[in-house]
Amino acid sequence: MKMFAWMILCVVSYAIYGDAVEILDYDKLFGLSDKINEQKYICADIVFAVDTSCSVRDKDKKKMVTIVENVVKGAKVNEKITRFGLVLFDLGARKYFGLNDFETTEEILEKLAELKANVETAHEGCRATYTWEALELVRNDEDLLGNMSRYDSLTGKERKRVLVLMTDGEPFKSKKSKLKMGRRTIEMGRLNDLANITTMVVHVPRKGVLKPIALLDDLVTKLRWKYEVGKGTNLEDVGSFFFHQLVLMSPCDYRCTAEIDLCFVLDRSNSIRIKDIKKAKEFFQDLGNSFLVEFDENSKEFTQAMIGVSSYNELAYQHSSGPDCKDNKCVWDVIGGIPDEHKEFTETDDALENVLWTCLAASSTRGRGVPKVVILATDGNTWEKGALSINSRPTIEMANLLREKGIDTELIGLPNYEERVGIEEWQNTASHFVFDLRNGTGPGWSVDFEDLKAITGTVARKICDQYSNEFHLEIELHPKNFTMKIVWLLLSLLAHMVVVYGDVEIFDYDRLFGLSDKIEEQKYICADIVFAIDISCSVKTKDKKKMVTIVENVVSGTKVNEKITRFGLVLFDMGARKRFGVSNNFGNADEILGLLADLKINIKDAHEGCKTHTWKALELVRTDEDLLGSVSRYDTETGRERKRVLILMTDGVPFDSKNNREEMADLTKEMGKLNNLANITTFVIHVPKDGKLEPIPLLDDLVSRMRWKIEVGNRTDLEDVGHYFFDELVLLSPCDYRCTEKIDICLVMDRSDSIEVKNIKLTKEFFKDLADSFIVTYDKSNKRFTSAMIGVSSYNQDVYQHSLGTKCKDNACVRDAIDTVPDEHNTFTETDDALANVASKCLAPYVTRPDIPKVAILATDGNTWETNALSINSRPTIQIAKKLRDQGIDIEVIGLPNYREVVGIDEWQKTASHFVFDMRNGTGPGWSVSFEDVKAITGTVARKICELYTEEQTNEV
């Protein structure tokens, strides 16, 4: 039935398909338009500050409002996309509306129409221009641009805050203070710049005359963002002058969860400069992240996108196939590994032929109606090897052949620096879309490859909408074909019932270690954690409630279980008392959360006297066996020490009476020392005393490590403090995991010189622990393995097979094999050869068992660098990864950082089949990571892989 439904769906789809290729040129991608379907996705907070003083003519004031109207119409207004605010200034500055006042374009336009109708009377004092107050208001008002950076809750990227200042340029209070107010205005601009507020300036005429105003150069973030409205310039049209800069500055990300088999194809011919090849790779890395790659370990199927990666010049290079990368991180790494080099000739036809036979071949795709799409980034000029000129015909013929085979091609049109781009080849190669990155089509046109990354969301959105079988898919049908439309909807419903969508799943640093309120992201922390909360009178009631919220957040983010994480709670003021202990046998977080909710409601009545007996709390935690006791605790199965953690939340001043203050401080330090000797780990949250945070040196004697002391100042929301230390809890005591499934595993370790030797040693320790997580047992009587088999290999410029799965009949042997891996690195990173070795040796048919999952666990920094190459090249790795998937071998990627450059996340995403475990705690310049953290993900990696390949007990549809 499932196959029948998809066959019918494809037939119906083909019958109604057939639009002309849509050309999205530079203006359509970035320009200002009043068409709803061309509204731009700008993820930014934008505030206009409009000068309404008398020196600006009323007709110019109305035109400035029109600029605001035009920009609002051109953007997708939404609380998560573009938000707008408006400030008016003359004799003072005032907010006309804030970012949170309106949710739709229509509401904002109605408010602007009201302003335009009354602009003549909108001022409050005509003969003054308090520009400095407008700049200060914009920075200080949280409903405008605030004074702190803002970040997207899903992507973690900084949300741009943009001020568009429209003025005649003359700050004015009085003639005597003119210079002083000018300096003050410049100072406010400097403070805005320090607060990461981006400023554009529209310089309008003063009383109809445009005069040079040097001060404006000090306010604008970049000089090209200052727009002079002189004679011949229609002020109303100025929005179109800077709108594209807003789009380029803060484009929105997009996440497609549709089921699509993709192949990224990158032109690396010498008509594209190497610096631009690097930028095109970064674009493909971001685009790869836009299509979610996930692999269901239970069903052993990709549930969303599969992404293969190839590149070409005189030859075609297959870096990875879709089945190779089980998460986006793998795809990222594969792309990152594409060599930063170009060569002669542009064999685009061969690149598309490679798509047919390798990248999107039947063995690399899923069939059953899953769309197959090539995303080709090229300058459009096919130049075959040995030819004397360009020749587009073979490429266009090959694109037509791909369409006959059910493979569409969508085209990213890149410029080159040698000749005009072949737009005709783009149009005749593409199936639906050409994204034309030129900002001009005639002689002298130019483009910046930096603009390429800004179209990532648009490309992903267009392709996702085109190939998604969602109910909102818009299809033009003749009225008498209404029955056909109903059939389409019913078949779409059937397709949704029988198909599970998915992508390679990226476990980034925050997902591995960060605090989340999602049940599926609860962390496995094998520890006993006790909170001790100061509820004395010196702590404000609202802060006491917020401290309880911290406990709630940490409990919600943890897998609560008597064998995993146990919690206790102590309250202290005049004395200390246990609210609940770790032995209460809470089966889940909900039981604890119920007790905490009751405490929060009755927090005012919970105290017993106003003193602060911190020493008693420390002593109670150590001496009560139902809290942390005084003796170390050990896991009954692994024998590892179970961490005992105290989180002390206090204003920092132990107090009994004025006469014994020093004595009680010394007693508190002594209790802290005894706790430390008892191996109790202590965190300290220093909350304000009577609303003020004062330095308390005593706290330094209580905390186990200085980085675990968290000061809650004026700019810190106390409720959010759990996020500051939660990752430390996960790193401190991660849970082990034991998988008893039958899986044939090959551990593959990158030992190239982009990974330091000390970190190779740490990676070996991680692999030893990971190997212990998969139980290896051998039945001597039947002469067969009854659970996992584990082989070990490593590589740099060569590949080294250290042991095969058939050699090690227990986990101790696997540990020994890993231990023999040399603690050394070498030049080059032949990840593609390492994966080829997996297929030919480590997981070859003669080594593995029939009908048993075969999995390569690859620990790499993601940058394939082939021997004697001049730059990284992910394509061969991605290609071979795809071939492995075709042969039934999955790859899961442990994404390691390196110390030379930002990690190639694209290669990871396109190499992995289901998971990328991204061990970076940042993705941009200046990110850092400790390889010590790698061991902490052992349980998570083992659990995810084991669950993926465990036979399902139920079939969820």
Side-chain angles (χ1 to χ4, degrees), residues 879-944:
Q879 288 176 333
I880 195 67
K882 182 179 179 183
K883 290 180 180 178
L884 260 64
R885 280 190 287 273
D886 294 343
Q887 297 172 23
I889 301 173
D890 285 332
I891 303 169
E892 311 304 346
V893 175
I894 312 299
L896 304 175
N898 61 43
Y899 67 100
R900 289 185 173 178
E901 66 274 325
V902 174
V903 176
I905 182 67
D906 296 336
E907 184 171 315
W908 295 351
Q909 289 174 297
K910 293 178 181 178
T911 301
S913 300
H914 307 96
F915 305 118
V916 169
F917 300 93
D918 181 355
M919 285 307 300
R920 302 169 299 163
N921 60 3
T923 55
W927 59 261
S928 62
V929 74
S930 171
F931 264 76
E932 295 286 349
D933 300 348
V934 179
K935 289 190 71 171
I937 69 168
T938 305
T940 301
V941 173
R943 184 179 299 106
K944 283 292 177 180

Side-chain angles (χ1 to χ4, degrees), residues 217-503:
D217 294 349
D218 295 304
L219 302 182
V220 71
T221 302
K222 295 182 180 181
L223 279 176
R224 72 171 184 267
W225 293 344
K226 185 179 80 168
Y227 302 92
E228 307 271 6
V229 185
K231 288 184 179 180
T233 302
N234 187 347
L235 179 56
E236 289 183 333
D237 296 336
V238 167
S240 61
F241 296 178
F242 64 80
F243 186 83
H244 69 290
Q245 294 291 348
L246 295 175
V247 183
L248 289 166
M249 188 189 306
S250 196
C252 293
D253 289 333
Y254 184 79
R255 295 294 181 268
C256 177
T257 58
E259 200 173 19
I260 310 177
D261 290 345
L262 294 168
C263 180
F264 292 168
V265 182
L266 175 62
D267 182 352
R268 289 194 295 122
S269 58
N270 62 359
S271 58
I272 301 175
R273 289 174 289 195
I274 288 177
K275 67 176 184 178
D276 294 332
I277 287 174
K278 293 179 181 178
K279 290 174 183 175
K281 283 170 55 179
E282 291 173 2
F283 159 72
F284 264 143
Q285 287 178 319
D286 289 343
L287 186 63
N289 279 344
S290 299
F291 293 90
L292 295 183
V293 178
E294 286 188 0
F295 187 81
D296 186 332
E297 295 289 351
N298 295 321
S299 64
K300 297 178 183 176
E301 290 186 353
F302 284 86
T303 55
Q304 295 171 330
M306 276 177 25
I307 305 177
V309 181
S310 66
S311 66
Y312 70 100
N313 33 58
E314 62 184 12
L315 299 173
Y317 312 91
Q318 186 64 41
H319 305 292
S320 77
S321 299
D324 297 337
C325 279
K326 295 183 172 60
D327 57 35
N328 291 88
K329 191 173 183 182
C330 166
V331 178
W332 179 285
D333 289 344
V334 170
I335 297 171
I338 296 175
D340 296 327
E341 61 187 21
H342 59 198
K343 290 183 180 180
E344 289 185 312
F345 304 112
T346 314
E347 295 276 5
T348 311
D349 55 327
D350 288 351
L352 293 182
E353 185 176 10
N354 175 73
V355 168
L356 179 62
W357 299 115
T358 305
C359 199
L360 292 178
S363 57
S364 300
T365 54
R366 287 169 284 187
R368 59 172 173 78
V370 176
K372 296 185 284 290
V373 184
V374 183
I375 301 180
L376 170 65
T378 178
D379 64 2
N381 296 324
T382 299
W383 195 307
E384 293 186 297
K385 193 170 183 177
L388 299 177
S389 62
I390 62 174
N391 180 12
S392 297
R393 178 178 292 178
T395 296
I396 296 170
E397 290 176 349
M398 183 55 65
N400 288 333
L401 177 60
L402 260 62
R403 277 188 282 275
E404 291 175 9
K405 300 292 185 180
I407 300 173
D408 283 334
T409 304
E410 308 304 349
L411 204 136
I412 312 298
L414 305 175
N416 61 42
Y417 67 100
E418 292 189 347
E419 67 275 323
R420 185 172 173 177
V421 176
I423 183 67
E424 293 84 359
E425 183 171 316
W426 294 352
Q427 288 176 296
N428 288 293
T429 300
S431 298
H432 303 98
F433 306 114
V434 170
F435 301 91
D436 182 355
L437 259 294
R438 302 169 300 162
N439 60 4
T441 55
W445 60 261
S446 63
V447 74
D448 187 344
F449 262 74
E450 293 288 348
D451 300 349
L452 189 60
K453 292 187 75 172
I455 70 167
T456 305
T458 301
V459 173
R461 186 178 295 107
K462 284 282 186 182
I463 291 175
C464 191
D465 288 347
Q466 177 70 36
Y467 295 99
S468 293
N469 296 307
E470 303 293 340
F471 294 117
H472 64 260
L473 186 61
E474 297 178 7
I475 302 168
E476 293 294 330
L477 292 173
H478 194 274
K480 66 182 180 182
N481 286 340
F482 178 75
T483 303
M484 191 175 184
K485 178 181 272 191
I486 295 298
V487 170
W488 173 267
L489 290 175
L490 289 173
L491 292 175
S492 294
L493 174 61
L494 180 59
H496 273 72
M497 290 173 63
V498 297
V499 177
V500 181
Y501 291 98
D503 272 310

Side-chain angles (χ1 to χ4, degrees), residues 8 122 165 170 188 263 300 325 397 412 464 478 482 509 534 559 574 605 671 726 751 799 923 954:
I8 297 298
L165 176 67
E170 290 280 354
M188 291 302 105
C263 180
K300 297 178 183 176
C325 279
E397 290 176 349
I412 312 298
C464 191
H478 194 274
F482 178 75
Y509 198 92
D534 182 351
K559 185 70 70 174
M574 189 169 73
D605 303 323
M671 292 300 106
F726 187 82
R751 290 194 294 120
V799 180
T923 55
T954 58

